[in-house]
């Protein structure tokens, strides 16, 4: 159903700088971290109106061969295919973003089984999740310096982030099966609807231990796990340098078109 045989696993592993491994909880954690550190979260093709779609061949060409980034559908489908080829059990899922508000049910993520355990694998949630989270009520994982907690109510798993104001829900999901056509529909909305947060401005996010960098529109914010943060406006002429520092390298034509946006 998910066409995982289209993935060149060796090329993917080279892209994230990770060896071929047997499935285990430890290797899942290592692969998850390597993927997030290597492949940016970014929506530049959506903003430019040139997104190639979310067929696995297109995702592989963009994120692996061209060494670009993508958003949740691209990340989840790529990571899921790699995990399945490596021998993990993978279920594709959808989450409602900001479930305590009016958030849409449009975020793609994975449920992964290995070693008799189940994990939430979420490589495409912006700069949030560096490691998988055990699917256990109350599980807390330090994600690059920020605690995240998974809780279960009825059949819904809610992921929340610890902040000075308490636990803030990030997204909520359950085990309702997802088909490829569902991702196509959600991707169409997220990549084309005028009210989508990804259609009108560039969004690029990178995470490393203790630091998160976010370019949203023309503002670049750097947030540290100790509570410090800085924000600055990025002039159009500085855009190529800033994007390159966030591991997003564009052609001159793409940069010129993005400046107009």
């Amino acid at each position: 159903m998910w066409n995982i045989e289209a993935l060149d696993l060796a090329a993917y592993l080279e892209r994230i700088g990770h060896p071929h491994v047997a499935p285990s909880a430890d290797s899942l954690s290592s692969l998850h971290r390597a993927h997030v550190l290597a492949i940016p979260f970014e929506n530049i093709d959506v903003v430019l109106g040139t997104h190639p779609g979310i067929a696995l061949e297109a995702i592989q060409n963009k994120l692996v061969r061209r060494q670009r980034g993508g958003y949740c559908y691209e990340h989840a489908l790529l990571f899921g295919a790699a995990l399945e080829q490596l021998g993990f059990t993978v279920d594709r899922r959808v989450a409602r973003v900001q479930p305590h508000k009016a958030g849409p049910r449009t975020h793609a993520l994975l449920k992964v089984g290995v070693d008799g355990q189940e994990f939430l694998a979420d490589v495409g949630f912006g700069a949030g999740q560096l490691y998988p989270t055990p699917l256990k009520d109350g599980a807390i994982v330090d994600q690059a310096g920020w605690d995240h907690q998974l809780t279960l109510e009825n059949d819904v798993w809610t992921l929340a982030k610890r902040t000075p104001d308490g636990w803030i829900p990030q997204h909520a999901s359950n085990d309702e099966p997802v088909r490829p056509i569902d991702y196509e529909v959600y991707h169409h909305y997220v990549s084309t609807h005028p009210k989508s947060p990804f259609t009108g401005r560039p969004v690029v996010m990178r995470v490393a231990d203790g630091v998160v960098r976010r370019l949203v529109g023309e503002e670049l914010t750097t947030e540290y796990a100790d509570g410090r943060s800085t924000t600055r406006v990025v002039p159009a002429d500085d855009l190529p340098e800033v994007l390159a520092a966030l591991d997003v390298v564009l052609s001159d034509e793409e940069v010129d078109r993005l400046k107009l946006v």
Side-chain angles (χ1 to χ4, degrees), residues 59-77:
I59 296 171
Q60 177 172 236
N61 185 56
K62 180 185 174 189
L63 275 64
V64 176
R65 297 196 176 101
R66 293 171 52 206
Q67 299 203 352
R68 282 281 304 280
Y71 64 171
C72 66
Y73 306 104
E74 296 161 288
H75 281 278
L77 288 169

Side-chain angles (χ1 to χ4, degrees), residues 113-127:
V114 64
D115 290 348
Q117 306 175 69
E118 291 183 326
F119 296 86
L120 184 73
D122 197 5
V123 292
F125 194 61

Side-chain angles (χ1 to χ4, degrees), residues 5-17:
E5 64 278 0
L7 175 67
D8 182 340
L9 180 61
Y12 168 78
L13 292 173
E14 182 179 359
R15 170 74 165 104
I16 68 171

Side-chain angles (χ1 to χ4, degrees), residues 43-64:
N43 72 328
I44 302 301
D45 283 356
V46 170
V47 174
L48 296 180
T50 58
H51 199 285
I54 59 171
L56 189 56
E57 295 91 337
I59 296 171
Q60 177 172 236
N61 185 56
K62 180 185 174 189
L63 275 64
V64 176

Side-chain angles (χ1 to χ4, degrees), residues 112-161:
V112 181
V114 64
D115 290 348
Q117 306 175 69
E118 291 183 326
F119 296 86
L120 184 73
D122 197 5
V123 292
F125 194 61
Q129 306 297 297
L130 198 53
Y131 301 101
T133 302
L135 272 172
K136 297 178 180 178
D137 188 20
I140 296 177
V141 175
D142 180 345
Q143 301 287 2
W146 289 265
D147 282 345
H148 285 69
Q149 183 179 50
L150 199 59
T151 55
L152 177 64
E153 184 174 352
N154 297 322
D155 67 338
V156 176
W157 293 97
T158 298
L159 183 74
K161 179 180 180 180

